């Protein structure tokens, strides 16, 4: 059970990183990834960019639910909640 939740958490992290890279590439206006991340941090919308990256977790969650791998889906959901809390705290400070 713990192994399945951990696998779901890894998939959730990977999906979030891939989503962040895609969001930065698509919304970056032709700049490279590091430039977009640095400018997002300076301009104060890095939290929004991370939240956009978490959209891919939705797909991973529903794939695990459809395959009846509930513990893996729980891991993806746990990572998504952690990302939401992180962006909330990041927005405050």
């Amino acid at each position: 059970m713990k192994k399945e939740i951990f696998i779901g958490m890894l998939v959730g992290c990977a999906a979030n990183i891939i989503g962040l890279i895609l969001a930065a590439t698509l919304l970056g206006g032709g700049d490279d990834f590091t430039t977009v991340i640095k400018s997002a941090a300076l301009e104060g919308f890095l939290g929004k960019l991370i939240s956009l990256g978490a959209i891919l977790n939705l797909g991973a969650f529903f794939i695990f639910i459809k395959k009846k791998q509930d513990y893996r889906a729980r891991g993806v959901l746990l990572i998504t909640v952690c990302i939401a809390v992180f962006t909330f705290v990041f927005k405050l400070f």
Side-chain angles (χ1 to χ4, degrees), residues 24-25 28-36 39:
T25 304
D31 294 333
D32 64 343
F33 177 71
T34 56
T35 306
V36 172
S39 65

Side-chain angles (χ1 to χ4, degrees), residues 14-72:
N16 194 14
I17 291 169
I18 292 169
L20 177 63
I21 292 170
L22 284 174
T25 304
L26 293 175
L27 300 174
D31 294 333
D32 64 343
F33 177 71
T34 56
T35 306
V36 172
I37 295 298
K38 287 178 184 177
S39 65
L42 290 175
E43 296 176 17
F45 64 91
L46 183 61
K48 294 177 185 177
L49 204 58
I50 293 171
S51 297
L52 280 174
I55 290 175
L56 286 183
N57 287 354
L58 189 64
F61 177 78
F62 282 117
I63 287 171
F64 286 143
I65 291 293
K66 186 165 178 82
K67 290 183 174 183
K68 299 202 184 324
Q69 296 175 337
D70 294 337
Y71 289 112
R72 289 185 183 190

